[in-house]
Amino acid sequence: MSAAQRIAQWHARARRSRAAYLACVCGVWLLPLAAWVARGYGAGAASAAAALGAAAVGWRAWRGARALDRQWLRRRLDALRADMDDSADLLFADDAALSGLQRLQRARLQRRIETAPASDLRLPWNWRSLAVGASLALALAAAAAWWPQPRPQAPGPALSPAPPVAAAPGQPRLLAQALRIEPPAYTGLQARDEPALEGRAAEGARLRWRLRFQPQPAQAALVFHDGERLPLRREGEDWSAQRTLAKSTLYRIDASGAPPAQARRLYRLDVVPDRPPQLRVLQPERGLTLLAPGQKAWPLAFEASDDYGVAATARLRITLVQGSGEQISFRERSVDLRGSGGARAKRFVHRLDLAALGYAVGDDLIVQLSVSDNRAPQAQTALSPSLILRWPADAGSEATGIEGMVKTVLPAYFRSQRQIIIDAEALIAQKRKFDGETFVKKSDAIGVDQRLLRLRYGQFLGEEAEGEPKLPTSDSEDDHDHGRDGDGHAGHEPSAPAAAHDDHDHGAAAAKPAFGEEGAVLEEFGHTHDHAEAATLLDPQTRKLLKAALDQMWQSELHLRQGQPQRALPFAYKALGFIKQVQQASRIYLARVGPELPPIDESRRLSGDRAGLARREDALTAATAADPLPARLWRELDAPASQPVDYAALERWLGANNERVPDPLAFAAALSALHDRPDCGECRARLRGLLWPLLQRPAATVHARAAGDARDRRYLDGLPQEAR
């Protein structure tokens, strides 16, 4: 390495060392700077101040490194190396400006630099000053973090004039009032002022009262309906108090010496509870999904909403069930999903890689999403329904040999009329999710199912197949579309005669019937299905019902194929009713146990002898109500005001049956009004009206049998005489 290269290397190392030293000396002050700015102006301002400070530190380090220029390098070489002979400036001089002796001296210096050990030109670090500066910076940062911060004085609510109250001279009268409601921070709601001292507030809201009396009372407090007393503090000319609202309540203002009308005035505060988040599954559409051929991933989509805000992340629990019988194993894992969307509604989307999860033949994959809201201090959590991905059952291997010769094809399965109604109602409910073309296609698909079902029942009335449709069988591809209902199960609704002729199809290609089959013999020699009049397998009443059902299916199919499922539903319901009548007509009902009735004594018929019979004149006793207190108090309140009413019993009953009362505060207000004015008829009527919905509905009464008129009595009296 040449002398110039070695000098340049030493110079660069010295510059880097100087820049690092200056960055350490100045950078330690960034921490207290950010801490104090954050204390006064928040985290955003602290981040901006830290960024500007870091830029200033970088600029100072760059300027310090640039100060070590060529002049400094000459002086540094002359000071550190005696073999330079104070001639280090010759190493950087122009060759043309040097004399012969100077060139000789420069060559000698270059050889010394090339052969001598490396020189450390770096300036020494002042570790003492660096430690002192770091200690001071840390102390300032700790002071910013731990120094008690003065609480900002929240401005009191603006006073509003209070309703005028008649008061005698010297009685404290409420002149102005205000109530500030500060919802919890997580709700994102703004604080508001209520001049009427009552209203609705979010659960956990902070309430601040501000009252002004004239003249000033000796003391004042807020008295709640449950007996709690909140003293008011005097601040100058005003009285104030604070409280966190946890449940709905009633309260009154109790000021010493205040007029009675002001002391009896009740104020109501209703709590708006924080509802748990609502979770809806967008994909898949069903709780149980069968794995499609060639499917390698399972897409999932959820939508969560909350009244105040949904958490940014949700947890997806994945359970893989493997094995069968007693050899079943479970493997669980969780995945955190990040939602997209607004604060109150978020969408969580995930795609499960089946191969990575180890999903194999015969396994079940179960997922469930858990999402929380932003409630503080304890969040509320909602769970989605469990979604299952199931490997389809193996249809079994093909039989060979003799087994293959005797293996028969299972009969075709059609969607039942009830399933067609369920699918049509589900399609109407999801109409907003589809565009017009998709909605018509889905309605047309249900209409196709209706047509196939109509053709099946039509065979028993002599109707021929339309266009020779290929009916779905258990081994055809269409069986997956028409042979299963919305949950993947086969739909069944055959009537008694229909179930016996599932494989009878006149529209299919003619095939030679097998020897000995009942249906083949009937078809070959009878063939009674071609004409309605010749279809003698069904009685006339059953054929009439089936014909009515087919007429309704026609109308249902017509509207479904036109994309009008809502107009098809009435006809589909009527068709279902006729089919059920056919099924009921083909059933035989037998009593489980034969009745054992006493033998009839023919000798007592029309004799009038009532010996051994129960007395019809016996009076009925009143039934005892399960909870007689509300009914008793309801009757007592209807009495004159002079009669006492047991209000204490009603208060105890309300405390024990609070969940049965729709509005407990209304009862508390009515009872408070009656305590203040026992002779108030309007207050008693109001409390009586609140008790009316709580009364137990009376049981059905038994009416006595009419004794009859004089003619009836003469007939009954004459029966014994005629018997004698």
Side-chain angles (χ1 to χ4, degrees):
M1 185 180 296
S2 63
Q5 292 176 345
R6 300 193 72 180
I7 293 175
Q9 185 179 8
W10 299 343
H11 190 198
R13 187 181 302 169
R15 281 188 167 185
R16 288 194 298 269
S17 175
R18 186 61 178 176
Y21 174 74
L22 293 176
C24 293
V25 171
C26 300
V28 294
W29 299 99
L30 293 178
L31 181 61
L33 173 66
W36 282 100
V37 173
R39 176 184 175 89
Y41 301 98
S47 301
L52 293 176
V57 169
W59 178 81
R60 179 67 184 90
W62 178 78
R63 287 293 304 271
R66 293 283 295 178
L68 305 184
D69 54 2
R70 184 171 293 181
Q71 295 297 332
W72 174 86
L73 182 58
R74 294 172 183 172
R75 294 193 299 269
R76 188 66 174 169
L77 286 174
D78 289 337
L80 293 180
R81 296 182 65 105
D83 56 352
M84 292 292 102
D85 298 335
D86 293 332
S87 303
D89 54 345
L90 295 177
L91 297 173
F92 308 100
D94 188 9
D95 186 66
L98 297 178
S99 62
L101 185 58
Q102 290 175 333
R103 291 192 186 94
L104 181 61
Q105 179 64 12
R106 185 176 65 177
R108 185 182 300 166
L109 295 178
Q110 290 176 348
R111 286 194 299 271
R112 292 175 182 175
I113 291 175
E114 293 173 357
T115 58
S119 298
D120 189 2
L121 304 182
R122 294 177 297 178
L123 294 175
W125 286 26
N126 190 346
W127 292 102
R128 183 176 182 180
S129 62
L130 185 60
V132 172
S135 301
L136 291 177
L138 291 175
L140 289 175
W146 297 101
W147 194 269
Q149 188 172 6
R151 294 184 178 180
Q153 187 68 23
L159 292 174
S160 300
V165 177
Q171 286 185 321
R173 185 167 55 90
L174 186 63
L175 293 182
Q177 60 188 11
L179 171 63
R180 169 159 293 181
I181 300 177
E182 299 176 357
Y186 76 90
T187 62
L189 302 177
Q190 299 294 329
R192 69 180 191 277
D193 294 337
E194 294 289 347
L197 298 184
E198 58 184 1
R200 297 170 59 86
E203 184 180 3
R206 189 72 178 173
L207 305 181
R208 301 177 184 272
W209 286 270
R210 187 181 176 193
L211 308 174
R212 181 174 296 178
F213 299 92
Q214 184 65 33
Q216 295 290 352
Q219 58 182 1
L222 301 178
V223 181
F224 296 88
H225 77 281
D226 56 359
E228 182 182 356
R229 189 179 184 89
L230 180 63
L232 291 168
R233 301 186 308 273
R234 183 173 179 180
E235 299 176 354
E237 295 295 326
D238 301 334
W239 296 74
S240 62
Q242 299 181 12
R243 187 192 186 194
T244 300
L245 186 62
K247 61 180 181 178
S248 301
T249 185
L250 292 171
Y251 72 96
R252 59 162 52 97
I253 301 174
D254 183 16
S256 58
Q262 177 177 300
R264 288 196 300 264
R265 171 73 185 274
L266 284 176
Y267 302 92
R268 177 167 177 161
L269 296 173
D270 290 314
V271 168
V272 180
D274 185 359
R275 297 175 300 175
Q278 304 295 320
L279 197 55
R280 187 164 63 96
V281 180
L282 301 180
Q283 191 178 8
E285 298 181 355
R286 300 181 179 90
L288 176 62
T289 306
L290 297 180
L291 184 70
Q295 181 179 352
K296 297 182 179 180
W298 191 23
L300 304 172
F302 304 87
E303 185 180 51
S305 60
D306 189 71
D307 44 5
Y308 297 125
V310 183
T313 59
R315 173 156 294 186
L316 182 67
R317 188 179 63 182
I318 305 170
T319 305
L320 181 62
V321 183
Q322 295 178 318
S324 61
E326 298 181 355
Q327 304 297 326
I328 296 180
S329 62
F330 299 88
R331 288 194 302 169
E332 292 189 4
R333 55 175 299 188
S334 298
V335 178
D336 291 334
L337 306 182
R338 189 163 190 85
S340 60
R344 298 188 178 184
K346 292 186 182 296
R347 186 185 179 99
F348 299 91
V349 180
H350 190 62
R351 191 176 182 87
L352 291 177
D353 188 355
L354 302 181
L357 293 174
Y359 188 69
V361 179
D363 295 350
D364 283 350
L365 190 61
I366 307 173
V367 297
Q368 188 177 34
L369 186 71
S370 171
V371 65
S372 303
D373 58 6
N374 295 329
R375 182 183 179 186
Q378 185 175 4
Q380 300 179 107
T381 303
L383 295 175
S384 71
S386 297
L387 306 175
I388 304 174
L389 178 63
R390 177 164 295 171
W391 196 287
D394 189 7
S397 58
E398 293 293 335
T400 59
I402 299 299
E403 295 181 358
M405 296 175 60
V406 300
K407 186 174 182 180
T408 58
V409 179
L410 293 177
Y413 291 106
F414 291 79
R415 283 182 183 252
S416 65
Q417 186 65 26
R418 182 182 290 105
Q419 187 62 44
I420 291 175
I421 294 174
I422 294 174
D423 293 345
E425 291 178 343
L427 180 61
I428 294 173
Q430 299 177 357
K431 184 176 182 180
R432 296 183 178 180
K433 297 174 56 178
F434 308 114
D435 54 9
E437 184 178 357
T438 305
F439 182 78
V440 172
K441 287 183 179 179
K442 290 183 175 292
S443 178
D444 181 71
I446 302 175
V448 172
D449 296 334
Q450 181 70 85
R451 172 178 174 271
L452 293 175
L453 187 62
R454 177 179 58 80
L455 292 176
R456 179 187 183 191
Y457 285 108
Q459 294 176 0
F460 306 102
L461 293 181
E463 295 185 3
E464 294 294 339
E466 300 176 357
E468 299 183 356
K470 181 181 178 181
L471 300 181
T473 59
S474 60
D475 57 346
S476 66
E477 296 180 356
D478 293 337
D479 183 53
H480 298 285
D481 298 332
H482 302 289
R484 298 190 177 274
D485 57 16
D487 295 332
H489 302 287
H492 299 273
E493 169 118 45
S495 62
H501 297 80
D502 284 333
D503 55 349
H504 191 85
D505 185 5
H506 297 296
K512 185 176 181 180
F515 179 79
E517 289 186 5
E518 298 178 1
V521 174
L522 180 62
E523 181 179 359
E524 182 176 358
F525 297 98
H527 204 74
T528 58
H529 293 189
D530 287 347
H531 305 284
E533 294 78 5
T536 56
L537 293 179
L538 306 177
D539 59 275
Q541 182 63 26
T542 302
R543 283 191 283 112
K544 182 179 178 180
L545 291 175
L546 278 179
K547 183 63 171 63
L550 290 179
D551 293 341
Q552 300 301 323
M553 289 183 184
W554 265 109
Q555 297 297 328
S556 174
E557 176 189 347
L558 172 65
H559 294 297
L560 286 172
R561 299 299 289 269
Q562 293 178 351
Q564 300 174 350
Q566 63 278 5
R567 299 183 62 181
L569 278 179
F571 302 104
Y573 273 110
K574 291 180 181 179
L576 178 61
F578 288 128
I579 293 173
K580 287 303 174 185
Q581 292 182 32
V582 174
Q583 292 179 350
Q584 294 293 335
S586 63
R587 296 177 183 176
I588 300 175
Y589 294 92
L590 299 176
R592 293 181 180 272
V593 179
E596 297 180 1
L597 301 178
I600 299 176
D601 187 3
E602 299 291 344
S603 62
R604 297 181 59 180
R605 290 178 61 84
L606 301 177
S607 64
D609 185 7
R610 299 186 178 183
L613 299 181
R615 292 177 53 84
R616 297 182 181 271
E617 295 81 4
D618 292 345
L620 296 176
T621 58
T624 303
D627 194 358
L629 181 61
R632 179 173 63 83
L633 293 176
W634 184 77
R635 290 190 296 268
E636 291 178 359
L637 288 172
D638 194 29
S642 58
Q643 295 186 6
V645 179
D646 191 1
Y647 297 117
L650 179 57
E651 292 179 353
R652 292 191 299 269
W653 184 89
L654 290 173
N657 302 271
N658 196 25
E659 65 281 354
R660 292 179 53 187
V661 181
D663 191 359
L665 294 184
F667 275 92
L671 288 173
S672 177
L674 283 172
H675 281 304
D676 295 335
R677 294 187 298 168
D679 57 345
C680 177
E682 182 181 355
C683 302
R684 292 169 68 98
R686 186 182 305 112
L687 181 58
R688 196 166 183 262
L690 293 174
L691 281 172
W692 172 253
L694 304 179
L695 301 182
Q696 186 178 4
R697 179 176 297 181
T701 58
V702 179
H703 299 282
R705 185 176 180 179
D709 53 8
R711 180 179 178 182
D712 297 333
R713 287 194 295 271
R714 285 196 304 271
Y715 172 76
L716 295 176
D717 294 340
L719 288 178
Q721 298 177 3
E722 184 178 354
R724 288 194 295 270

